[in-house]
mmCIF file with all atom_site columns, all heavy atoms in Angstrom:
data_model
loop_
_atom_site.group_PDB
_atom_site.id
_atom_site.type_symbol
_atom_site.label_atom_id
_atom_site.label_alt_id
_atom_site.label_comp_id
_atom_site.label_asym_id
_atom_site.label_entity_id
_atom_site.label_seq_id
_atom_site.pdbx_PDB_ins_code
_atom_site.Cartn_x
_atom_site.Cartn_y
_atom_site.Cartn_z
_atom_site.occupancy
_atom_site.B_iso_or_equiv
_atom_site.pdbx_formal_charge
_atom_site.auth_seq_id
_atom_site.auth_comp_id
_atom_site.auth_asym_id
_atom_site.auth_atom_id
_atom_site.pdbx_PDB_model_num
ATOM 1  N N   . LYS I 1 360 ? 0.065  9.948  13.109 1.00 98.00 ? 360 LYS I N   1
ATOM 2  C CA  . LYS I 1 360 ? 0.442  8.937  14.028 1.00 98.00 ? 360 LYS I CA  1
ATOM 3  C C   . LYS I 1 360 ? 0.181  7.578  13.512 1.00 98.00 ? 360 LYS I C   1
ATOM 4  O O   . LYS I 1 360 ? -0.496 7.397  12.510 1.00 98.00 ? 360 LYS I O   1
ATOM 5  C CB  . LYS I 1 360 ? -0.386 9.190  15.332 1.00 98.00 ? 360 LYS I CB  1
ATOM 6  C CG  . LYS I 1 360 ? -1.944 9.080  15.137 1.00 98.00 ? 360 LYS I CG  1
ATOM 7  C CD  . LYS I 1 360 ? -2.711 9.277  16.359 1.00 98.00 ? 360 LYS I CD  1
ATOM 8  C CE  . LYS I 1 360 ? -2.577 10.787 16.817 1.00 98.00 ? 360 LYS I CE  1
ATOM 9  N NZ  . LYS I 1 360 ? -3.451 11.020 18.077 1.00 98.00 ? 360 LYS I NZ  1
ATOM 10 N N   . ILE I 1 361 ? 0.767  6.623  14.274 1.00 98.00 ? 361 ILE I N   1
ATOM 11 C CA  . ILE I 1 361 ? 0.560  5.197  13.910 1.00 98.00 ? 361 ILE I CA  1
ATOM 12 C C   . ILE I 1 361 ? -0.227 4.615  15.125 1.00 98.00 ? 361 ILE I C   1
ATOM 13 O O   . ILE I 1 361 ? 0.185  4.875  16.269 1.00 98.00 ? 361 ILE I O   1
ATOM 14 C CB  . ILE I 1 361 ? 1.851  4.502  13.683 1.00 98.00 ? 361 ILE I CB  1
ATOM 15 C CG1 . ILE I 1 361 ? 2.605  4.983  12.485 1.00 98.00 ? 361 ILE I CG1 1
ATOM 16 C CG2 . ILE I 1 361 ? 1.685  2.949  13.535 1.00 98.00 ? 361 ILE I CG2 1
ATOM 17 C CD1 . ILE I 1 361 ? 3.956  4.448  12.281 1.00 98.00 ? 361 ILE I CD1 1
ATOM 18 N N   . LEU I 1 362 ? -1.271 3.995  14.773 1.00 98.00 ? 362 LEU I N   1
ATOM 19 C CA  . LEU I 1 362 ? -2.244 3.373  15.746 1.00 98.00 ? 362 LEU I CA  1
ATOM 20 C C   . LEU I 1 362 ? -1.944 1.848  15.860 1.00 98.00 ? 362 LEU I C   1
ATOM 21 O O   . LEU I 1 362 ? -1.818 1.213  14.802 1.00 98.00 ? 362 LEU I O   1
ATOM 22 C CB  . LEU I 1 362 ? -3.621 3.739  15.602 1.00 98.00 ? 362 LEU I CB  1
ATOM 23 C CG  . LEU I 1 362 ? -3.885 5.220  15.418 1.00 98.00 ? 362 LEU I CG  1
ATOM 24 C CD1 . LEU I 1 362 ? -5.332 5.422  14.843 1.00 98.00 ? 362 LEU I CD1 1
ATOM 25 C CD2 . LEU I 1 362 ? -3.816 5.923  16.759 1.00 98.00 ? 362 LEU I CD2 1
ATOM 26 N N   . ARG I 1 363 ? -2.174 1.318  17.050 1.00 96.00 ? 363 ARG I N   1
ATOM 27 C CA  . ARG I 1 363 ? -2.293 -0.167 17.195 1.00 96.00 ? 363 ARG I CA  1
ATOM 28 C C   . ARG I 1 363 ? -3.771 -0.511 17.461 1.00 96.00 ? 363 ARG I C   1
ATOM 29 O O   . ARG I 1 363 ? -4.371 0.060  18.308 1.00 96.00 ? 363 ARG I O   1
ATOM 30 C CB  . ARG I 1 363 ? -1.388 -0.653 18.329 1.00 96.00 ? 363 ARG I CB  1
ATOM 31 C CG  . ARG I 1 363 ? -1.509 -2.134 18.661 1.00 96.00 ? 363 ARG I CG  1
ATOM 32 C CD  . ARG I 1 363 ? -0.709 -2.574 19.882 1.00 96.00 ? 363 ARG I CD  1
ATOM 33 N NE  . ARG I 1 363 ? 0.731  -2.383 19.643 1.00 96.00 ? 363 ARG I NE  1
ATOM 34 C CZ  . ARG I 1 363 ? 1.493  -1.588 20.324 1.00 96.00 ? 363 ARG I CZ  1
ATOM 35 N NH1 . ARG I 1 363 ? 0.850  -0.668 21.141 1.00 96.00 ? 363 ARG I NH1 1
ATOM 36 N NH2 . ARG I 1 363 ? 2.774  -1.463 20.056 1.00 96.00 ? 363 ARG I NH2 1
ATOM 37 N N   . VAL I 1 364 ? -4.234 -1.500 16.706 1.00 88.00 ? 364 VAL I N   1
ATOM 38 C CA  . VAL I 1 364 ? -5.592 -1.920 16.835 1.00 88.00 ? 364 VAL I CA  1
ATOM 39 C C   . VAL I 1 364 ? -5.539 -3.416 17.378 1.00 88.00 ? 364 VAL I C   1
ATOM 40 O O   . VAL I 1 364 ? -5.228 -4.288 16.690 1.00 88.00 ? 364 VAL I O   1
ATOM 41 C CB  . VAL I 1 364 ? -6.303 -1.920 15.471 1.00 88.00 ? 364 VAL I CB  1
ATOM 42 C CG1 . VAL I 1 364 ? -7.758 -2.376 15.659 1.00 88.00 ? 364 VAL I CG1 1
ATOM 43 C CG2 . VAL I 1 364 ? -6.332 -0.493 14.915 1.00 88.00 ? 364 VAL I CG2 1
ATOM 44 N N   . PRO I 1 365 ? -5.849 -3.578 18.672 1.00 81.00 ? 365 PRO I N   1
ATOM 45 C CA  . PRO I 1 365 ? -5.770 -4.958 19.228 1.00 81.00 ? 365 PRO I CA  1
ATOM 46 C C   . PRO I 1 365 ? -7.018 -5.715 18.804 1.00 81.00 ? 365 PRO I C   1
ATOM 47 O O   . PRO I 1 365 ? -8.067 -5.220 18.513 1.00 81.00 ? 365 PRO I O   1
ATOM 48 C CB  . PRO I 1 365 ? -5.893 -4.646 20.766 1.00 81.00 ? 365 PRO I CB  1
ATOM 49 C CG  . PRO I 1 365 ? -6.619 -3.388 20.811 1.00 81.00 ? 365 PRO I CG  1
ATOM 50 C CD  . PRO I 1 365 ? -6.275 -2.541 19.642 1.00 81.00 ? 365 PRO I CD  1
ATOM 51 N N   . ILE I 1 366 ? -6.792 -7.038 18.654 1.00 71.00 ? 366 ILE I N   1
ATOM 52 C CA  . ILE I 1 366 ? -7.816 -7.893 18.254 1.00 71.00 ? 366 ILE I CA  1
ATOM 53 C C   . ILE I 1 366 ? -8.207 -8.797 19.351 1.00 71.00 ? 366 ILE I C   1
ATOM 54 O O   . ILE I 1 366 ? -7.456 -9.434 20.146 1.00 71.00 ? 366 ILE I O   1
ATOM 55 C CB  . ILE I 1 366 ? -7.318 -8.774 17.151 1.00 71.00 ? 366 ILE I CB  1
ATOM 56 C CG1 . ILE I 1 366 ? -6.723 -8.007 16.041 1.00 71.00 ? 366 ILE I CG1 1
ATOM 57 C CG2 . ILE I 1 366 ? -8.507 -9.698 16.545 1.00 71.00 ? 366 ILE I CG2 1
ATOM 58 C CD1 . ILE I 1 366 ? -7.711 -7.000 15.417 1.00 71.00 ? 366 ILE I CD1 1
#
Side-chain angles (χ1 to χ4, degrees):
K360 61 182 68 175
I361 297 173
L362 305 168
R363 178 185 293 111
V364 181
I366 307 303

